[in-house]
Amino acid sequence: MAKIPHILLIYTGGTIGMIKDFESGALKAFNFDKLLKHIPELKHLNCTIDSASFDEPIDSSNMNPKYWIIITEIIENNYEKFDGFVVLHGSDTMSYTASAISFMFENLSKPVIFTGSQLPIGDLRTDAKENLITSIEIAASQKNGKSIISEVCLYFEYKLYRANRTTKINSEHFEAFASPNYPPLCESGVHLKFNESFIYLPRRSKKIKIRKKLEENIVLLKLFPGITENVIKSILEIDGLKGVVLETYGSGNAPSDKWFVDLLKKALKNGIKIIDVTQCVGGSVILGQYETSVQLQKIGLINGKDLTSEAALAKLMYLLGENIPTSEFKSVFETPLRGEMAV
Ligand code: ASP
């Protein structure tokens, strides 16, 4: 008889487990035991569940790479004991965290599903129960004794996405996330419908590698018409700066002003890595399609293709921590490593 899957539920904080502060009326994180009491349904799932929690659950606006390492270590220390992991996380920065975790685990062969909710679990109209219960069901879904999912995903409002393809698009709707450049991996209706041709196939023979060195001296710079030379110069001259995710227009276009291109050139010469991503919600950078990106291509900007800014930041932090020789950095960055970008 097949073994019942064993799932680890990791609670980091977020609206899902929040209650209203008596005095201020603001939502704040509360203790995990109380959270589990609100979901007696969990006992009826076809899996066993253990839980782990941050000592102090946080609103995900306080998330940072130190917490990413804590999440990584909880999974690492329990990797052999469990068949899958569900991480409860605030929705505000969930795409950043889940993208980072996807890079921190190489050769993952078990599901890591991030989820959360727009309304606290105790609220009458909460979306938390469906998100949580289905995430656990997906993490426990197996075919021939092996997990169907073996990558880092994000589940929200009936859809499972590859995590490093997601972005938060709405602060009020239950459908808070989108994956503009990659289809959902599973849709939940009466049945769970897995979209098998888009799911990552693990290389189970390869040993899992876990990376915890992340470079934090990077910046996300969004262009807008009228951005001044002084602003760009000040940012590119930040002491110790190692990388920039440059959010450009449309298919990767930027002003052709000489001062702008010269500043980028100088930064590249100083070893700063600059990634061109589009500030559009969907679509891809295509360097050289317009005259306004030809210069960027010539001076050697890294093509972020169809990366989300969240995934670009995470990939940059990860690869800068890997001591990749300068001559190889651009081609390594432009290669999909965890299904985060088009080939
Ligand atoms: N502020 C909350 C958080 O990200 C929002 C949420 O959980 O949806 O922690």
Side-chain angles (χ1 to χ4, degrees), residues 275-277 284-285 302-308 333-334 341:
I275 321 299
D276 187 346
V277 297
S284 181
V285 163
I302 295 172
N303 187 343
K305 302 183 193 173
D306 59 349
L307 278 178
T308 60
F333 197 99
E334 290 177 354
M341 60 163 38

Side-chain angles (χ1 to χ4, degrees), residues 308-328:
T308 60
S309 296
E310 292 89 330
L313 285 167
K315 189 171 187 178
L316 188 56
M317 282 188 183
Y318 158 58
L319 289 179
L320 284 172
E322 287 295 295
N323 292 326
I324 296 167
T326 308
S327 58
E328 289 166 31

Side-chain angles (χ1 to χ4, degrees), residues 11 25 27 35 45 61 80 86 154 191 257 259 276 310 323:
Y11 177 56
L27 286 169
L35 174 72
L45 290 172
S61 303
E80 294 310 323
V86 173
L154 187 154
H191 304 287
D257 302 82
W259 63 262
D276 187 346
E310 292 89 330
N323 292 326

Side-chain angles (χ1 to χ4, degrees), residues 110-173:
K110 299 187 179 186
V112 176
I113 317 286
F114 278 77
T115 195
S117 65
Q118 293 280 54
L119 283 175
I121 199 128
D123 196 286
L124 262 187
R125 293 176 51 252
T126 189
D127 53 331
K129 286 193 183 182
E130 198 285 318
N131 286 346
L132 174 55
I133 290 169
T134 309
S135 295
I136 296 175
E137 277 199 336
I138 290 173
S141 293
Q142 299 190 341
K143 198 172 169 184
N144 305 325
K146 301 262 183 287
S147 304
I148 295 181
I149 297 292
S150 44
E151 55 184 301
V152 181
C153 293
L154 187 154
Y155 181 82
F156 228 85
E157 192 63 4
Y158 303 109
K159 291 202 180 82
L160 180 78
Y161 301 113
R162 175 168 296 157
N164 55 34
R165 293 292 197 149
T166 62
T167 188
K168 185 170 178 183
I169 49 155
N170 202 296
S171 61
E172 286 180 36
H173 292 171

